Amino acid sequence: MVTSALLYDLAVIGGGAAGMMCAAVAGQRGRRVLLLDHSDRRAEKIRISGGGRCNFTNLEGDRLDRFTGADPRFARFALRAYPPSRFIDLVRAHRIAYHEKHKGQLFCDDSAERIIEMLSAECAAGSVDEQRPCGLIALHHRPADASGARFELDTDRGRFCARAVAVATGGLSIPKIGATDLGYRIARQFGHRIVEPRPALVPLTFDPTAWSDFVALAGVSLPVRIRACDSPVFDEDLLFTHRGLSGPAVLQVSSFWRPRGAIEIDLLGGDEPNRWLADERERSGRLPLASVLAHRLPRRLAALWSERMLGKAAAHRKLAELGRRELATAALQLSGWTLQPTGTEGYRKAEVTSGGVSTDEVDPRTLESRRVPGLHFIGEVLDVTGWLGGYNFQWAWASGYAAGQSIAR
């Protein structure tokens, strides 16, 4: 148990991706760094990410159009200063084998544990003092004294003093691994505004009665083109669940979806439906519509979808017998199947949290509060959310690096 206040150049609150990166960067530049976390296990979110293999970045992870928030351009300075290539160089330096899985997404060949071990080694190289489990009881700010200390941290391991503090507490996603609202409480304490947090990269749910016919499709997946509200158009895989829809397609649009909003799904993935149906009528006109749709869609989905859109009788009539209006309706719905979710699976299934500490009073170059000198916010606690596919980890590395560099200077 610590019985007297120890002085550090930097105290990092939160030992996840952004926190460990920030601590390592500042420590290796000669600063005395304290890294504290309420959990006794390091970086649980890294450990479980990517099916245990950690999608640690994306080759296009510095593209601003892959990030959302009230001010997506806020991320530009940190991402330019620390692009994906720099983290990849670090991974290579630690001899971690990796591969590109899909659309620039990079995963460990072995285990996410390798990334945690790498970050731990980087912190050790900077002589970072890790205190875990160590719960923060209170954070106090005061005018700098002769030593330059501006912050006092009361913890269940005693009191620490620091010249600067970096808040790297993450969001509310996956509470079972320890997610809390601590970062938001600290921000509010010092007068910062919070953009309402909400689950993101999360499955969508539907009214149980309206969804009852689709429950039998749980486990069925297919590639689609999808969008929601003002979202970009995504070409990804869709997965049916007992309660609604999931898969990369839905996780992507969930960051843009709002309650009472709709999502629109193109089941043909961008192909022109009228032309496709006309071609199929020439080739397979004697087959029922449901059977023709099964040429492109999973059979169970083709049968259920055609019955729901056109009625059971029309779905099982020969394609050549369907009238122009029925074919036009089928074509329209194939390319623009509109559904209205009633909610999401919540933080327990969300990969990240959208919203958070507003960026309007945080310096984008240093991640330092414009209200409280020496107080920095990094990673997911900020109102910066990346697409699915390694973008949020890249933001963690970049924001942690930018803050660590600034504090070391």
Side-chain angles (χ1 to χ4, degrees):
M1 175 74 92
V2 176
T3 57
S4 61
L6 299 178
L7 175 62
Y8 294 86
D9 296 307
L10 167 65
V12 181
I13 305 171
M20 293 182 79
M21 174 62 86
C22 180
V25 168
Q28 289 181 30
R29 283 153 183 77
R31 299 298 175 260
R32 188 177 186 193
V33 179
L34 168 69
L35 176 63
L36 61 87
D37 195 282
H38 69 284
S39 174
D40 59 350
R41 300 192 72 185
R42 289 188 178 94
E44 277 293 278
K45 202 163 188 182
I46 294 178
R47 181 173 284 107
I48 66 173
S49 68
R53 295 199 173 185
C54 188
N55 179 193
F56 56 81
T57 193
N58 192 292
L59 293 174
E60 297 188 324
D62 52 353
R63 284 184 53 172
L64 287 180
D65 62 349
R66 304 296 167 89
F67 292 87
T68 66
D71 179 15
R73 288 186 57 77
F74 174 84
R76 66 191 184 280
F77 294 107
L79 292 171
R80 286 173 186 167
Y82 197 84
S85 59
R86 294 197 63 177
F87 192 77
I88 293 168
D89 287 344
L90 184 63
V91 168
R92 287 173 173 162
H94 283 262
R95 300 174 183 253
I96 299 174
Y98 66 90
H99 60 278
E100 180 182 352
K101 187 173 181 180
H102 177 64
K103 295 185 177 181
Q105 300 169 14
L106 301 186
F107 289 76
C108 298
D109 285 355
D110 183 12
S111 164
E113 292 284 352
R114 299 297 307 281
I115 299 296
I116 299 172
E117 292 167 0
M118 177 190 78
L119 293 171
S120 298
E122 290 292 311
C123 284
S127 300
V128 173
D129 179 8
E130 286 197 57
Q131 297 283 339
R132 66 173 68 241
C134 180
L136 181 71
I137 298 170
L139 175 64
H140 306 284
H141 177 257
R142 66 189 186 194
D145 61 18
S147 70
R150 290 183 287 197
F151 298 92
E152 291 181 354
L153 298 89
D154 291 331
T155 79
D156 53 21
R157 290 193 175 207
R159 174 169 289 186
F160 303 93
C161 293
R163 296 184 174 93
V165 165
V167 179
T169 51
L172 301 173
S173 304
I174 322 179
K176 70 179 181 181
I177 63 171
T180 74
D181 67 345
L182 175 60
Y184 307 147
R185 286 187 274 124
I186 292 173
R188 288 192 181 101
Q189 173 187 341
F190 293 108
H192 280 270
R193 184 173 64 88
I194 304 298
V195 177
E196 183 179 2
R198 61 186 185 277
L201 304 187
V202 63
L204 298 175
T205 58
F206 293 81
D207 173 78
T209 301
W211 195 251
S212 59
D213 288 346
F214 293 100
V215 170
L217 298 180
V220 170
S221 65
L222 72 157
V224 300
R225 177 165 287 181
I226 189 170
R227 67 183 181 90
C229 306
D230 297 325
S231 80
V233 174
F234 293 99
D235 293 306
E236 295 281 4
D237 285 351
L238 178 76
L239 173 68
F240 286 82
T241 73
H242 288 95
R243 288 164 45 85
L245 295 171
S246 186
V250 166
L251 298 189
Q252 291 284 33
V253 298
S254 69
S255 296
F256 301 87
W257 178 80
R258 297 294 183 273
R260 293 179 294 280
I263 61 173
E264 187 176 287
I265 302 170
D266 181 346
L267 292 169
L268 297 184
D271 285 357
E272 212 291 312
N274 288 297
R275 180 178 301 171
W276 180 74
L277 282 173
D279 290 345
E280 287 295 328
R281 196 173 190 180
E282 291 292 321
R283 287 193 295 264
S284 310
R286 295 184 178 182
L287 294 176
L289 175 63
S291 298
V292 171
L293 289 179
H295 295 167
R296 292 290 297 271
L297 310 179
R299 185 169 296 278
R300 283 189 291 158
L301 173 60
L304 178 57
W305 184 89
S306 56
E307 290 175 7
R308 292 266 303 203
M309 294 303 109
L310 299 179
K312 187 170 290 189
H316 295 282
R317 280 166 51 198
K318 294 177 181 179
L319 186 60
E321 296 173 353
L322 293 179
R324 184 174 300 173
R325 180 175 297 178
E326 291 169 312
L327 285 174
T329 298
L332 182 65
Q333 292 294 329
L334 279 170
S335 60
W337 186 27
T338 302
L339 297 166
Q340 188 165 348
T342 54
T344 76
E345 290 286 3
Y347 289 117
R348 68 187 184 91
K349 291 286 186 74
E351 295 197 11
V352 296
T353 303
S354 281
V357 179
S358 173
T359 58
D360 58 4
E361 292 185 321
V362 178
D363 188 316
R365 290 178 172 83
T366 64
L367 286 303
E368 184 176 18
S369 166
R370 298 189 193 276
R371 284 182 167 271
V372 183
L375 180 64
H376 300 249
F377 295 95
I378 57 177
E380 191 180 344
V381 74
L382 283 162
D383 179 29
V384 176
T385 305
W387 287 11
L388 181 73
Y391 295 94
N392 289 291
F393 273 131
Q394 183 57 38
W395 169 242
W397 316 136
S399 60
Y401 175 85
Q405 279 275 75
S406 168
I407 292 161
R409 285 196 294 268

